[in-house]
Amino acid sequence: MLELIRTNDPVLISFVESLLRDAEIGFFVADQNMSILEGSLGILPRRVMVDREEAERARQLLRDAGIEHETRPDNDNG
């Protein structure tokens, strides 16, 4: 899986989840349960992960939604 976004913003994560779900793109929110350990302070960022095969489609979806500035650089070297 590749990291699509990394953020502390729960509203942004919810929006991205909704976009991906509606587009039927599989995803996983990593570090979501870390909020329990940090006391829900929002210090630790959550990561939205997508399958390699869906990464470009997911990035295009975020571009179309006007939030491309939130995407992580494509650092996949293989």
Side-chain angles (χ1 to χ4, degrees):
M1 295 196 100
L2 297 177
E3 184 176 330
L4 184 62
I5 67 166
R6 180 184 300 189
T7 184
N8 295 349
D9 185 346
V11 174
L12 177 62
I13 290 174
S14 179
F15 180 56
V16 171
E17 285 180 303
S18 178
L19 289 172
L20 295 171
R21 196 174 294 113
D22 288 349
E24 298 182 356
I25 296 174
F27 67 93
F28 173 74
V29 179
D31 307 321
Q32 189 164 325
N33 294 325
M34 291 302 290
S35 64
I36 295 168
L37 295 176
E38 71 175 28
S40 298
L41 296 175
I43 297 169
L44 299 173
R46 280 57 164 177
R47 297 173 293 146
V48 177
M49 313 291 288
V50 295
D51 289 329
R52 282 181 203 283
E53 297 78 24
E54 296 284 11
E56 186 50 42
R57 193 170 139 224
R59 289 179 195 283
Q60 184 61 51
L61 189 66
L62 298 189
R63 282 192 289 273
D64 292 346
I67 56 172
E68 66 274 3
H69 60 282
E70 297 290 347
T71 59
R72 301 291 290 176
D74 184 5
N75 58 1
D76 180 29
N77 294 327

